[in-house]
Amino acid sequence: MNEIIITTATVTGISAIFAFLLTLADKTIGNYGEVKLTINNDKEYIVNGGSSLLSTLIEEKIFIPSACGGKGTCGYCKVKVIDGGGPVLPTETPFLTEDELKDNIRLSCQCKVKENIKIQIPEELFNVKEYIATVEEIEDMTSVIKRLRIRLPEGEEIKFKPGQFIQFKAPIYDGNDEEVYRAYSIASSPSDKGYIELFIGYVPGGKCTTYVHKHLKVGDTVQINGPYGDFYFHDDNDREVILVAAGTGIAPILSILKHMKEYNINRKARFYFGAKTPDDLFLLDYFKELEETLFDFKFIPTLSRVSEEHNWTGEKGRVNNTIERHLESPENKEAYLCGNPPMIDSMVKALVNKGLPEELIYFDKFD
């Protein structure tokens, strides 16, 4: 018995010493003091060293796109580090091309601010704003997709292009012990500057989607920032518009269609929407109305898991197969795609095989 007590006391003592050393290391070795952050050669900030570049920028209210909450799994938070970033980490290299490595591109969530550092980011990121907004509507679109309508603070506006996205902050809640940001495309029209609409699908175990589907209520305030993204509608030409989405990828396509209707953009448009069963379809009445009011528009849903009991008479199979059946001449066309990586990859391949130039295929991939 005495041996057990002595062993337990020894282990406890060693653990306590180890914990103390870690705390001491964090306060000394990890304490880099104040350093200078220079952005685009003309903006200087004095910041506390030791945090990631992404976190440091957020502290200064400069927001870089990040879909994974700074975990190093999405590869979105790229910045050019001119000086002071230290060596590229193994956690970064899977997301960086050879050209990006040569050009000193880094993942800001993995790059630590330990010394004076100089970086370069797109100037438009300085126009990104943070909003404390109010949830005005929550609507179930399917069993796993909710529509949120969010009102911005009185007197504030968000200016975005149809197709762009915002970042939504999920707070700490029961079952989640950290604040996380997630990216969601804006579904509302850019002319509706005092509100935004989002479509958020439930992902089991997802920290943000669980918050939205299980905890968020009408009247709650939420923290968002944006806009972001180089996926947006190009309205400076007369090309036919091919729109493709699946699930919540419908959001940026809706924003594009609303923009086309409001500004009376008379371009032929076809929207191919991929789903599994009829239960996964929504906004059917709205798309029927668009077919009657929008210039030469057709909504073409495609179902991949239908049986005889569904009595489905529309398109069947994967959406890329529908494209292959329907798309004729590739001349004077451009495409906008939003969905998961396998869907986007198959669609790009199908469109290129049909003769559509790859530079006229715009897409937004999300996991």
Side-chain angles (χ1 to χ4, degrees):
M1 178 64 73
N2 289 336
E3 290 181 359
I4 295 175
I5 294 174
I6 293 172
T7 301
T8 302
T10 302
V11 171
T12 302
I14 291 173
S15 298
I17 293 171
F18 187 61
F20 172 76
L21 291 174
L22 286 176
T23 303
L24 183 64
D26 185 56
K27 291 183 177 180
T28 55
I29 299 174
N31 182 8
Y32 297 93
E34 291 186 339
V35 299
K36 183 166 68 174
L37 167 65
T38 305
I39 305 178
N40 296 355
N41 292 321
D42 61 357
K43 300 174 182 67
E44 295 184 351
Y45 305 83
I46 301 301
V47 301
N48 292 320
S51 297
S52 71
L53 178 56
L54 178 65
S55 298
T56 301
L57 290 168
I58 290 175
E59 286 293 320
E60 298 300 323
K61 301 299 180 183
I62 301 168
F63 299 97
I64 304 294
S66 174
C68 68
K71 302 299 184 184
T73 58
C74 72
Y76 286 179
C77 63
K78 295 177 181 178
V79 301
K80 183 172 183 175
V81 178
I82 299 171
D83 187 42
V88 176
L89 302 178
T91 50
E92 299 178 74
T93 52
F95 301 95
L96 301 173
T97 66
E98 289 186 12
D99 287 342
E100 287 175 330
L101 288 168
K102 292 177 182 176
D103 199 30
N104 298 316
I105 303 299
R106 302 286 302 273
L107 294 190
S108 61
C109 69
Q110 301 299 299
C111 178
K112 288 281 189 179
V113 179
K114 299 179 179 180
E115 58 184 326
N116 292 344
I117 185 170
K118 294 182 179 180
I119 69 170
Q120 184 175 320
I121 62 174
E123 282 290 332
E124 57 262 28
L125 289 179
F126 289 102
N127 297 322
V128 170
K129 295 182 179 180
E130 189 169 53
Y131 306 88
I132 306 299
T134 303
V135 178
E136 286 208 337
E137 296 177 21
I138 301 177
E139 180 184 4
D140 289 327
M141 308 307 295
T142 72
S143 61
V144 294
I145 296 177
K146 289 184 182 290
R147 179 185 70 88
L148 272 59
R149 183 166 173 82
I150 300 172
R151 175 171 51 84
L152 302 184
E154 187 70 29
E156 294 192 36
E157 296 182 344
I158 182 169
K159 298 179 181 180
F160 64 94
K161 298 176 183 178
Q164 291 188 301
F165 66 93
I166 56 92
Q167 291 191 139
F168 184 106
K169 183 179 180 179
I172 294 171
Y173 60 87
D174 186 23
N176 174 46
D177 59 0
E178 64 175 339
E179 297 175 338
V180 295
Y181 285 94
R182 294 293 184 265
Y184 296 105
S185 296
I186 305 172
S188 44
S189 168
S191 65
D192 198 2
K193 295 182 175 63
Y195 291 82
I196 63 164
E197 285 189 356
L198 307 174
F199 286 79
I200 299 181
Y202 177 64
V203 178
K207 293 182 178 180
C208 195
T209 64
T210 297
Y211 170 67
V212 169
H213 280 253
K214 306 293 185 181
H215 300 272
L216 191 65
K217 304 182 299 297
V218 170
D220 286 351
T221 57
V222 294
Q223 191 168 324
I224 62 173
N225 58 69
Y228 301 99
D230 53 10
F231 173 76
Y232 54 83
F233 181 61
H234 299 259
D235 55 8
D236 57 354
N237 64 82
D238 63 355
R239 287 189 283 267
E240 178 182 338
V241 181
I242 301 168
L243 306 163
V244 186
T248 55
I250 200 172
I253 306 303
L254 280 171
S255 185
I256 290 172
L257 289 170
K258 291 172 183 176
H259 174 77
M260 292 178 69
K261 182 178 180 180
E262 288 181 6
Y263 287 88
N264 196 30
I265 296 175
N266 294 332
R267 292 165 61 179
K268 181 178 178 180
R270 298 291 181 267
F271 178 23
Y272 300 89
F273 182 69
K276 294 177 181 178
T277 72
D279 291 338
D280 300 314
L281 298 176
F282 52 97
L283 294 177
L284 297 181
D285 290 341
Y286 177 74
F287 289 119
K288 183 177 180 181
E289 177 192 337
L290 283 185
E291 287 183 324
E292 296 170 353
T293 58
L294 196 62
F295 177 84
D296 199 358
F297 169 74
K298 287 192 187 321
F299 174 60
I300 307 170
T302 302
L303 303 184
S304 61
R305 296 185 186 178
V306 288
S307 59
E308 291 183 4
E309 64 186 30
H310 288 123
N311 296 316
W312 176 254
T313 58
E315 293 290 331
K316 299 177 183 178
R318 297 192 179 278
V319 70
N320 58 297
N321 303 131
T322 303
I323 283 281
E324 291 166 355
R325 288 192 294 269
H326 282 260
L327 187 62
E328 297 174 354
S329 169
E331 282 78 18
N332 202 35
K333 294 178 173 62
E334 64 185 24
Y336 298 86
L337 324 174
C338 188
N340 60 47
M343 190 274 275
I344 296 296
D345 293 341
S346 66
M347 281 306 312
V348 170
K349 182 178 179 180
L351 290 168
V352 169
N353 287 342
K354 280 288 186 175
L356 196 68
E358 197 161 354
E359 62 269 21
L360 294 180
I361 304 173
Y362 309 103
F363 57 82
D364 184 11
K365 289 183 181 181
F366 63 86
D367 293 321

